[in-house]
Amino acid sequence: MSLQIGIVGLPNVGKSTLFNALTQAGVAVGAYPFTTIDPNRGVAAIPDRRLEALARLVGPEQVTPATVEFVDIAGLVRGSHRGEGLGNRFLAHIREVDAIAVVARCFADPDVAHVDGSIDPIRDLEVLDLELILADLETVQRRLEKTRPAARARPRELATELALLEELEARLQRGERASVFLKADGEERTALVRELHLLTAKPRLYVANVAEEDLPEGGEGAASVVRHAEAEGVPCIVLCARLEADLASWPPEEAAEYRSAIGLSQSGLEALVWAGYRVLDLITFFTIVGGREVRAWSVRRGATAPEAAGRVHSDMQRGFIRAEVIGWEELVRAGGWAAARERGLIRTEGRDYCIQDGDVCLFRFNP
């Protein structure tokens, strides 16, 4: 499971610059809207100190981190839900991702024009939300056009779906996102929203893109975005995309030293990836293949041992027998797998075991 995060926002807020910083892919960046016409995609390794500790312990030939795929989606503008500014294509690209990182511009730069002529991150977020809500409303209303006549013919079969669609339509018309509709319990709600691929149901986090001189807190503009995110109960990352893009080309030690000097404890990549993990409720487990490879894998929290085995190879899930498991810290303290086994620290877990964050697993299976 490669976590896929769509980077969205209005034009000229720094999406492509952030994408460059995260993936070092070098896509075109310009001071005008629609620098990104098709979504750029880049895969970045997830920085994980636990994987580094296991690699130092084992000394493998290969270290393979978990990955995240970033999708740089061109800027939305007013009227995107009606196709303005290539909006239909971009809205379709948002439907494909697991989560969205909403970038808010909190920096002033006379060389980079704002589409509305002034810097107001909350106004920008409201414009973007409105376009996504209106796009979802059109989707729901098209479904209602088909469901209402069908429900008259098959009322018992479609009564629940019709009621849910009408509730969803009313909420969207009030300016609520589909994620609010999902807060009420019910498998039917979840199934309906998933089937409709609603944009405002996507897990989200916010990125306040600030000027370097405003780091680490980010200034008042960033503070307003942080308050906005806190009101929704979602993460907000404050960073300077231009600085992160510059530091991506520095030697890691020098980049870390510079970040520390300006009060940053981690890179924008680390902050954004781990925020994405939180909103999607992902965890990481590890596998060690002899002295050849140490590898990190991501799964949904609550995944069972056979499901985790299936991330490694589908044959492992089909022929699953048991999992031999130890926490990564315990393994490092023991000094290796053989030493941990001698001390009785390796646990044997069956099909019902739920993988825990940081587990190191050896899966036994019938090929």
PDB file of all heavy atoms in Angstrom, residues 188-223:
ATOM      1  N   GLU A 188     -24.190   1.943   5.621  1.00  0.00           N
ATOM      2  CA  GLU A 188     -24.782   2.403   4.362  1.00  0.00           C
ATOM      3  C   GLU A 188     -24.205   3.747   3.944  1.00  0.00           C
ATOM      4  O   GLU A 188     -23.967   3.996   2.754  1.00  0.00           O
ATOM      5  CB  GLU A 188     -26.307   2.524   4.498  1.00  0.00           C
ATOM      6  CG  GLU A 188     -27.032   1.201   4.738  1.00  0.00           C
ATOM      7  CD  GLU A 188     -27.234   0.949   6.236  1.00  0.00           C
ATOM      8  OE1 GLU A 188     -26.559   1.644   7.040  1.00  0.00           O
ATOM      9  OE2 GLU A 188     -28.031   0.071   6.576  1.00  0.00           O
ATOM     10  N   ARG A 189     -23.973   4.631   4.932  1.00  0.00           N
ATOM     11  CA  ARG A 189     -23.407   5.939   4.622  1.00  0.00           C
ATOM     12  C   ARG A 189     -22.010   5.791   4.010  1.00  0.00           C
ATOM     13  O   ARG A 189     -21.686   6.387   2.992  1.00  0.00           O
ATOM     14  CB  ARG A 189     -23.321   6.793   5.885  1.00  0.00           C
ATOM     15  CG  ARG A 189     -24.653   7.257   6.409  1.00  0.00           C
ATOM     16  CD  ARG A 189     -24.528   7.914   7.767  1.00  0.00           C
ATOM     17  NE  ARG A 189     -25.842   8.304   8.255  1.00  0.00           N
ATOM     18  CZ  ARG A 189     -26.354   9.526   8.130  1.00  0.00           C
ATOM     19  NH1 ARG A 189     -25.638  10.477   7.564  1.00  0.00           N
ATOM     20  NH2 ARG A 189     -27.559   9.799   8.569  1.00  0.00           N
ATOM     21  N   THR A 190     -21.190   4.981   4.668  1.00  0.00           N
ATOM     22  CA  THR A 190     -19.824   4.785   4.192  1.00  0.00           C
ATOM     23  C   THR A 190     -19.818   4.186   2.795  1.00  0.00           C
ATOM     24  O   THR A 190     -19.064   4.631   1.914  1.00  0.00           O
ATOM     25  CB  THR A 190     -19.059   3.874   5.161  1.00  0.00           C
ATOM     26  OG1 THR A 190     -19.079   4.451   6.469  1.00  0.00           O
ATOM     27  CG2 THR A 190     -17.627   3.679   4.710  1.00  0.00           C
ATOM     28  N   ALA A 191     -20.654   3.177   2.573  1.00  0.00           N
ATOM     29  CA  ALA A 191     -20.696   2.514   1.266  1.00  0.00           C
ATOM     30  C   ALA A 191     -21.154   3.481   0.175  1.00  0.00           C
ATOM     31  O   ALA A 191     -20.607   3.486  -0.940  1.00  0.00           O
ATOM     32  CB  ALA A 191     -21.626   1.299   1.333  1.00  0.00           C
ATOM     33  N   LEU A 192     -22.152   4.317   0.488  1.00  0.00           N
ATOM     34  CA  LEU A 192     -22.679   5.253  -0.505  1.00  0.00           C
ATOM     35  C   LEU A 192     -21.627   6.292  -0.886  1.00  0.00           C
ATOM     36  O   LEU A 192     -21.396   6.555  -2.079  1.00  0.00           O
ATOM     37  CB  LEU A 192     -23.926   5.947   0.044  1.00  0.00           C
ATOM     38  CG  LEU A 192     -24.589   6.975  -0.880  1.00  0.00           C
ATOM     39  CD1 LEU A 192     -25.070   6.308  -2.160  1.00  0.00           C
ATOM     40  CD2 LEU A 192     -25.734   7.679  -0.161  1.00  0.00           C
ATOM     41  N   VAL A 193     -20.956   6.870   0.110  1.00  0.00           N
ATOM     42  CA  VAL A 193     -19.954   7.887  -0.166  1.00  0.00           C
ATOM     43  C   VAL A 193     -18.785   7.287  -0.942  1.00  0.00           C
ATOM     44  O   VAL A 193     -18.249   7.901  -1.867  1.00  0.00           O
ATOM     45  CB  VAL A 193     -19.481   8.522   1.154  1.00  0.00           C
ATOM     46  CG1 VAL A 193     -18.220   9.357   0.932  1.00  0.00           C
ATOM     47  CG2 VAL A 193     -20.582   9.384   1.747  1.00  0.00           C
ATOM     48  N   ARG A 194     -18.396   6.064  -0.576  1.00  0.00           N
ATOM     49  CA  ARG A 194     -17.304   5.409  -1.291  1.00  0.00           C
ATOM     50  C   ARG A 194     -17.698   5.163  -2.748  1.00  0.00           C
ATOM     51  O   ARG A 194     -16.887   5.363  -3.669  1.00  0.00           O
ATOM     52  CB  ARG A 194     -16.940   4.094  -0.608  1.00  0.00           C
ATOM     53  CG  ARG A 194     -15.716   3.407  -1.221  1.00  0.00           C
ATOM     54  CD  ARG A 194     -15.425   2.077  -0.579  1.00  0.00           C
ATOM     55  NE  ARG A 194     -15.137   2.205   0.837  1.00  0.00           N
ATOM     56  CZ  ARG A 194     -15.866   1.673   1.810  1.00  0.00           C
ATOM     57  NH1 ARG A 194     -16.933   0.953   1.514  1.00  0.00           N
ATOM     58  NH2 ARG A 194     -15.537   1.837   3.072  1.00  0.00           N
ATOM     59  N   GLU A 195     -18.911   4.733  -2.965  1.00  0.00           N
ATOM     60  CA  GLU A 195     -19.369   4.453  -4.327  1.00  0.00           C
ATOM     61  C   GLU A 195     -19.416   5.720  -5.179  1.00  0.00           C
ATOM     62  O   GLU A 195     -19.109   5.693  -6.380  1.00  0.00           O
ATOM     63  CB  GLU A 195     -20.762   3.818  -4.275  1.00  0.00           C
ATOM     64  CG  GLU A 195     -21.323   3.419  -5.621  1.00  0.00           C
ATOM     65  CD  GLU A 195     -22.721   2.826  -5.524  1.00  0.00           C
ATOM     66  OE1 GLU A 195     -23.166   2.528  -4.390  1.00  0.00           O
ATOM     67  OE2 GLU A 195     -23.365   2.668  -6.574  1.00  0.00           O
ATOM     68  N   LEU A 196     -19.765   6.857  -4.551  1.00  0.00           N
ATOM     69  CA  LEU A 196     -19.875   8.111  -5.288  1.00  0.00           C
ATOM     70  C   LEU A 196     -18.533   8.820  -5.470  1.00  0.00           C
ATOM     71  O   LEU A 196     -18.455   9.798  -6.221  1.00  0.00           O
ATOM     72  CB  LEU A 196     -20.848   9.049  -4.561  1.00  0.00           C
ATOM     73  CG  LEU A 196     -22.315   8.603  -4.523  1.00  0.00           C
ATOM     74  CD1 LEU A 196     -23.115   9.527  -3.631  1.00  0.00           C
ATOM     75  CD2 LEU A 196     -22.912   8.555  -5.922  1.00  0.00           C
ATOM     76  N   HIS A 197     -17.491   8.350  -4.786  1.00  0.00           N
ATOM     77  CA  HIS A 197     -16.153   8.951  -4.876  1.00  0.00           C
ATOM     78  C   HIS A 197     -16.206  10.454  -4.597  1.00  0.00           C
ATOM     79  O   HIS A 197     -15.665  11.266  -5.354  1.00  0.00           O
ATOM     80  CB  HIS A 197     -15.542   8.710  -6.266  1.00  0.00           C
ATOM     81  CG  HIS A 197     -15.411   7.269  -6.626  1.00  0.00           C
ATOM     82  ND1 HIS A 197     -14.480   6.431  -6.041  1.00  0.00           N
ATOM     83  CD2 HIS A 197     -16.114   6.491  -7.497  1.00  0.00           C
ATOM     84  CE1 HIS A 197     -14.601   5.217  -6.546  1.00  0.00           C
ATOM     85  NE2 HIS A 197     -15.582   5.223  -7.424  1.00  0.00           N
ATOM     86  N   LEU A 198     -16.834  10.817  -3.489  1.00  0.00           N
ATOM     87  CA  LEU A 198     -17.014  12.234  -3.189  1.00  0.00           C
ATOM     88  C   LEU A 198     -15.707  12.882  -2.741  1.00  0.00           C
ATOM     89  O   LEU A 198     -14.979  12.360  -1.910  1.00  0.00           O
ATOM     90  CB  LEU A 198     -18.092  12.408  -2.116  1.00  0.00           C
ATOM     91  CG  LEU A 198     -19.494  11.917  -2.526  1.00  0.00           C
ATOM     92  CD1 LEU A 198     -20.492  12.183  -1.414  1.00  0.00           C
ATOM     93  CD2 LEU A 198     -19.949  12.589  -3.819  1.00  0.00           C
ATOM     94  N   LEU A 199     -15.459  14.057  -3.277  1.00  0.00           N
ATOM     95  CA  LEU A 199     -14.201  14.755  -3.031  1.00  0.00           C
ATOM     96  C   LEU A 199     -14.084  15.234  -1.590  1.00  0.00           C
ATOM     97  O   LEU A 199     -13.006  15.197  -0.998  1.00  0.00           O
ATOM     98  CB  LEU A 199     -14.085  15.951  -3.974  1.00  0.00           C
ATOM     99  CG  LEU A 199     -14.195  15.647  -5.473  1.00  0.00           C
ATOM    100  CD1 LEU A 199     -14.331  16.936  -6.267  1.00  0.00           C
ATOM    101  CD2 LEU A 199     -12.978  14.873  -5.933  1.00  0.00           C
ATOM    102  N   THR A 200     -15.197  15.700  -1.021  1.00  0.00           N
ATOM    103  CA  THR A 200     -15.134  16.283   0.320  1.00  0.00           C
ATOM    104  C   THR A 200     -15.199  15.222   1.411  1.00  0.00           C
ATOM    105  O   THR A 200     -15.219  15.560   2.596  1.00  0.00           O
ATOM    106  CB  THR A 200     -16.264  17.312   0.529  1.00  0.00           C
ATOM    107  OG1 THR A 200     -17.540  16.665   0.386  1.00  0.00           O
ATOM    108  CG2 THR A 200     -16.150  18.441  -0.471  1.00  0.00           C
ATOM    109  N   ALA A 201     -15.208  13.951   1.023  1.00  0.00           N
ATOM    110  CA  ALA A 201     -15.110  12.871   2.005  1.00  0.00           C
ATOM    111  C   ALA A 201     -13.665  12.445   2.215  1.00  0.00           C
ATOM    112  O   ALA A 201     -13.370  11.671   3.130  1.00  0.00           O
ATOM    113  CB  ALA A 201     -15.944  11.668   1.562  1.00  0.00           C
ATOM    114  N   LYS A 202     -12.759  12.942   1.378  1.00  0.00           N
ATOM    115  CA  LYS A 202     -11.359  12.535   1.474  1.00  0.00           C
ATOM    116  C   LYS A 202     -10.757  12.989   2.802  1.00  0.00           C
ATOM    117  O   LYS A 202     -10.962  14.130   3.225  1.00  0.00           O
ATOM    118  CB  LYS A 202     -10.541  13.170   0.342  1.00  0.00           C
ATOM    119  CG  LYS A 202     -10.937  12.746  -1.060  1.00  0.00           C
ATOM    120  CD  LYS A 202     -10.372  11.396  -1.404  1.00  0.00           C
ATOM    121  CE  LYS A 202     -10.695  11.016  -2.846  1.00  0.00           C
ATOM    122  NZ  LYS A 202     -10.273   9.638  -3.141  1.00  0.00           N
ATOM    123  N   PRO A 203      -9.996  12.122   3.467  1.00  0.00           N
ATOM    124  CA  PRO A 203      -9.205  12.595   4.612  1.00  0.00           C
ATOM    125  C   PRO A 203      -8.293  13.718   4.134  1.00  0.00           C
ATOM    126  O   PRO A 203      -7.797  13.697   3.010  1.00  0.00           O
ATOM    127  CB  PRO A 203      -8.398  11.363   5.031  1.00  0.00           C
ATOM    128  CG  PRO A 203      -9.154  10.197   4.477  1.00  0.00           C
ATOM    129  CD  PRO A 203      -9.786  10.687   3.203  1.00  0.00           C
ATOM    130  N   ARG A 204      -8.093  14.706   5.002  1.00  0.00           N
ATOM    131  CA  ARG A 204      -7.288  15.844   4.581  1.00  0.00           C
ATOM    132  C   ARG A 204      -6.384  16.341   5.697  1.00  0.00           C
ATOM    133  O   ARG A 204      -6.593  16.070   6.872  1.00  0.00           O
ATOM    134  CB  ARG A 204      -8.168  16.993   4.084  1.00  0.00           C
ATOM    135  CG  ARG A 204      -9.008  17.655   5.168  1.00  0.00           C
ATOM    136  CD  ARG A 204      -9.619  18.968   4.678  1.00  0.00           C
ATOM    137  NE  ARG A 204     -10.469  18.795   3.514  1.00  0.00           N
ATOM    138  CZ  ARG A 204     -10.995  19.808   2.826  1.00  0.00           C
ATOM    139  NH1 ARG A 204     -10.739  21.056   3.198  1.00  0.00           N
ATOM    140  NH2 ARG A 204     -11.759  19.603   1.791  1.00  0.00           N
ATOM    141  N   LEU A 205      -5.382  17.067   5.261  1.00  0.00           N
ATOM    142  CA  LEU A 205      -4.531  17.819   6.170  1.00  0.00           C
ATOM    143  C   LEU A 205      -4.221  19.135   5.482  1.00  0.00           C
ATOM    144  O   LEU A 205      -4.452  19.289   4.274  1.00  0.00           O
ATOM    145  CB  LEU A 205      -3.260  17.044   6.511  1.00  0.00           C
ATOM    146  CG  LEU A 205      -2.375  16.623   5.332  1.00  0.00           C
ATOM    147  CD1 LEU A 205      -1.181  17.553   5.192  1.00  0.00           C
ATOM    148  CD2 LEU A 205      -1.889  15.202   5.504  1.00  0.00           C
ATOM    149  N   TYR A 206      -3.748  20.096   6.250  1.00  0.00           N
ATOM    150  CA  TYR A 206      -3.453  21.416   5.695  1.00  0.00           C
ATOM    151  C   TYR A 206      -1.954  21.687   5.731  1.00  0.00           C
ATOM    152  O   TYR A 206      -1.248  21.232   6.633  1.00  0.00           O
ATOM    153  CB  TYR A 206      -4.195  22.502   6.469  1.00  0.00           C
ATOM    154  CG  TYR A 206      -5.693  22.460   6.285  1.00  0.00           C
ATOM    155  CD1 TYR A 206      -6.517  21.816   7.198  1.00  0.00           C
ATOM    156  CD2 TYR A 206      -6.293  23.049   5.174  1.00  0.00           C
ATOM    157  CE1 TYR A 206      -7.894  21.765   7.025  1.00  0.00           C
ATOM    158  CE2 TYR A 206      -7.669  23.004   4.983  1.00  0.00           C
ATOM    159  CZ  TYR A 206      -8.464  22.359   5.916  1.00  0.00           C
ATOM    160  OH  TYR A 206      -9.828  22.298   5.730  1.00  0.00           O
ATOM    161  N   VAL A 207      -1.496  22.429   4.738  1.00  0.00           N
ATOM    162  CA  VAL A 207      -0.109  22.876   4.671  1.00  0.00           C
ATOM    163  C   VAL A 207      -0.121  24.390   4.560  1.00  0.00           C
ATOM    164  O   VAL A 207      -0.635  24.940   3.580  1.00  0.00           O
ATOM    165  CB  VAL A 207       0.628  22.268   3.467  1.00  0.00           C
ATOM    166  CG1 VAL A 207       2.054  22.796   3.401  1.00  0.00           C
ATOM    167  CG2 VAL A 207       0.624  20.745   3.535  1.00  0.00           C
ATOM    168  N   ALA A 208       0.431  25.055   5.567  1.00  0.00           N
ATOM    169  CA  ALA A 208       0.583  26.504   5.517  1.00  0.00           C
ATOM    170  C   ALA A 208       1.957  26.805   4.927  1.00  0.00           C
ATOM    171  O   ALA A 208       2.984  26.545   5.557  1.00  0.00           O
ATOM    172  CB  ALA A 208       0.454  27.093   6.914  1.00  0.00           C
ATOM    173  N   ASN A 209       1.975  27.311   3.704  1.00  0.00           N
ATOM    174  CA  ASN A 209       3.225  27.600   3.000  1.00  0.00           C
ATOM    175  C   ASN A 209       3.636  29.029   3.307  1.00  0.00           C
ATOM    176  O   ASN A 209       2.976  29.982   2.879  1.00  0.00           O
ATOM    177  CB  ASN A 209       3.042  27.390   1.497  1.00  0.00           C
ATOM    178  CG  ASN A 209       4.346  27.508   0.737  1.00  0.00           C
ATOM    179  OD1 ASN A 209       5.425  27.468   1.322  1.00  0.00           O
ATOM    180  ND2 ASN A 209       4.249  27.652  -0.574  1.00  0.00           N
ATOM    181  N   VAL A 210       4.726  29.187   4.054  1.00  0.00           N
ATOM    182  CA  VAL A 210       5.112  30.491   4.580  1.00  0.00           C
ATOM    183  C   VAL A 210       6.451  30.943   3.993  1.00  0.00           C
ATOM    184  O   VAL A 210       7.154  30.169   3.340  1.00  0.00           O
ATOM    185  CB  VAL A 210       5.208  30.448   6.122  1.00  0.00           C
ATOM    186  CG1 VAL A 210       3.907  29.931   6.719  1.00  0.00           C
ATOM    187  CG2 VAL A 210       6.383  29.568   6.585  1.00  0.00           C
ATOM    188  N   ALA A 211       6.808  32.187   4.245  1.00  0.00           N
ATOM    189  CA  ALA A 211       8.120  32.704   3.877  1.00  0.00           C
ATOM    190  C   ALA A 211       9.165  32.185   4.860  1.00  0.00           C
ATOM    191  O   ALA A 211       8.856  31.931   6.034  1.00  0.00           O
ATOM    192  CB  ALA A 211       8.106  34.228   3.880  1.00  0.00           C
ATOM    193  N   GLU A 212      10.397  32.036   4.388  1.00  0.00           N
ATOM    194  CA  GLU A 212      11.441  31.493   5.251  1.00  0.00           C
ATOM    195  C   GLU A 212      11.641  32.337   6.502  1.00  0.00           C
ATOM    196  O   GLU A 212      11.847  31.803   7.595  1.00  0.00           O
ATOM    197  CB  GLU A 212      12.760  31.398   4.478  1.00  0.00           C
ATOM    198  CG  GLU A 212      13.897  30.813   5.303  1.00  0.00           C
ATOM    199  CD  GLU A 212      15.193  30.674   4.508  1.00  0.00           C
ATOM    200  OE1 GLU A 212      15.146  30.812   3.273  1.00  0.00           O
ATOM    201  OE2 GLU A 212      16.235  30.427   5.143  1.00  0.00           O
ATOM    202  N   GLU A 213      11.531  33.650   6.357  1.00  0.00           N
ATOM    203  CA  GLU A 213      11.769  34.511   7.518  1.00  0.00           C
ATOM    204  C   GLU A 213      10.687  34.371   8.591  1.00  0.00           C
ATOM    205  O   GLU A 213      10.872  34.838   9.717  1.00  0.00           O
ATOM    206  CB  GLU A 213      11.889  35.978   7.081  1.00  0.00           C
ATOM    207  CG  GLU A 213      10.694  36.513   6.326  1.00  0.00           C
ATOM    208  CD  GLU A 213      10.862  36.385   4.816  1.00  0.00           C
ATOM    209  OE1 GLU A 213      11.622  35.506   4.367  1.00  0.00           O
ATOM    210  OE2 GLU A 213      10.230  37.191   4.092  1.00  0.00           O
ATOM    211  N   ASP A 214       9.551  33.740   8.256  1.00  0.00           N
ATOM    212  CA  ASP A 214       8.478  33.551   9.232  1.00  0.00           C
ATOM    213  C   ASP A 214       8.571  32.223   9.970  1.00  0.00           C
ATOM    214  O   ASP A 214       7.733  31.928  10.832  1.00  0.00           O
ATOM    215  CB  ASP A 214       7.113  33.651   8.543  1.00  0.00           C
ATOM    216  CG  ASP A 214       6.799  35.073   8.098  1.00  0.00           C
ATOM    217  OD1 ASP A 214       7.253  36.009   8.778  1.00  0.00           O
ATOM    218  OD2 ASP A 214       6.106  35.233   7.076  1.00  0.00           O
ATOM    219  N   LEU A 215       9.556  31.392   9.617  1.00  0.00           N
ATOM    220  CA  LEU A 215       9.728  30.122  10.305  1.00  0.00           C
ATOM    221  C   LEU A 215      10.315  30.355  11.699  1.00  0.00           C
ATOM    222  O   LEU A 215      11.003  31.336  11.936  1.00  0.00           O
ATOM    223  CB  LEU A 215      10.659  29.207   9.492  1.00  0.00           C
ATOM    224  CG  LEU A 215      10.095  28.683   8.183  1.00  0.00           C
ATOM    225  CD1 LEU A 215      11.197  28.008   7.354  1.00  0.00           C
ATOM    226  CD2 LEU A 215       8.955  27.701   8.427  1.00  0.00           C
ATOM    227  N   PRO A 216      10.060  29.478  12.681  1.00  0.00           N
ATOM    228  CA  PRO A 216       9.321  28.217  12.530  1.00  0.00           C
ATOM    229  C   PRO A 216       7.810  28.325  12.706  1.00  0.00           C
ATOM    230  O   PRO A 216       7.071  27.474  12.235  1.00  0.00           O
ATOM    231  CB  PRO A 216       9.927  27.348  13.634  1.00  0.00           C
ATOM    232  CG  PRO A 216      10.301  28.315  14.696  1.00  0.00           C
ATOM    233  CD  PRO A 216      10.748  29.565  13.985  1.00  0.00           C
ATOM    234  N   GLU A 217       7.315  29.373  13.426  1.00  0.00           N
ATOM    235  CA  GLU A 217       5.875  29.431  13.696  1.00  0.00           C
ATOM    236  C   GLU A 217       5.059  29.736  12.451  1.00  0.00           C
ATOM    237  O   GLU A 217       3.969  29.207  12.268  1.00  0.00           O
ATOM    238  CB  GLU A 217       5.568  30.476  14.783  1.00  0.00           C
ATOM    239  CG  GLU A 217       5.978  30.072  16.184  1.00  0.00           C
ATOM    240  CD  GLU A 217       7.460  30.273  16.443  1.00  0.00           C
ATOM    241  OE1 GLU A 217       8.128  30.903  15.570  1.00  0.00           O
ATOM    242  OE2 GLU A 217       7.958  29.828  17.475  1.00  0.00           O
ATOM    243  N   GLY A 218       5.565  30.645  11.582  1.00  0.00           N
ATOM    244  CA  GLY A 218       4.893  30.885  10.319  1.00  0.00           C
ATOM    245  C   GLY A 218       4.158  32.196  10.202  1.00  0.00           C
ATOM    246  O   GLY A 218       3.661  32.529   9.132  1.00  0.00           O
ATOM    247  N   GLY A 219       4.026  32.945  11.296  1.00  0.00           N
ATOM    248  CA  GLY A 219       3.331  34.220  11.208  1.00  0.00           C
ATOM    249  C   GLY A 219       1.828  34.088  11.353  1.00  0.00           C
ATOM    250  O   GLY A 219       1.275  32.995  11.543  1.00  0.00           O
ATOM    251  N   GLU A 220       1.139  35.220  11.242  1.00  0.00           N
ATOM    252  CA  GLU A 220      -0.304  35.246  11.492  1.00  0.00           C
ATOM    253  C   GLU A 220      -1.084  34.455  10.445  1.00  0.00           C
ATOM    254  O   GLU A 220      -2.086  33.811  10.753  1.00  0.00           O
ATOM    255  CB  GLU A 220      -0.807  36.690  11.536  1.00  0.00           C
ATOM    256  CG  GLU A 220      -2.297  36.820  11.806  1.00  0.00           C
ATOM    257  CD  GLU A 220      -2.778  36.031  13.028  1.00  0.00           C
ATOM    258  OE1 GLU A 220      -2.052  35.987  14.050  1.00  0.00           O
ATOM    259  OE2 GLU A 220      -3.877  35.444  12.960  1.00  0.00           O
ATOM    260  N   GLY A 221      -0.644  34.515   9.194  1.00  0.00           N
ATOM    261  CA  GLY A 221      -1.351  33.750   8.168  1.00  0.00           C
ATOM    262  C   GLY A 221      -1.355  32.269   8.477  1.00  0.00           C
ATOM    263  O   GLY A 221      -2.395  31.602   8.394  1.00  0.00           O
ATOM    264  N   ALA A 222      -0.193  31.742   8.853  1.00  0.00           N
ATOM    265  CA  ALA A 222      -0.107  30.326   9.217  1.00  0.00           C
ATOM    266  C   ALA A 222      -0.933  30.046  10.465  1.00  0.00           C
ATOM    267  O   ALA A 222      -1.587  28.993  10.564  1.00  0.00           O
ATOM    268  CB  ALA A 222       1.346  29.930   9.440  1.00  0.00           C
ATOM    269  N   ALA A 223      -0.915  30.962  11.428  1.00  0.00           N
ATOM    270  CA  ALA A 223      -1.688  30.765  12.653  1.00  0.00           C
ATOM    271  C   ALA A 223      -3.174  30.622  12.345  1.00  0.00           C
ATOM    272  O   ALA A 223      -3.881  29.806  12.966  1.00  0.00           O
ATOM    273  CB  ALA A 223      -1.456  31.927  13.617  1.00  0.00           C
TER     274      ALA A 223
END
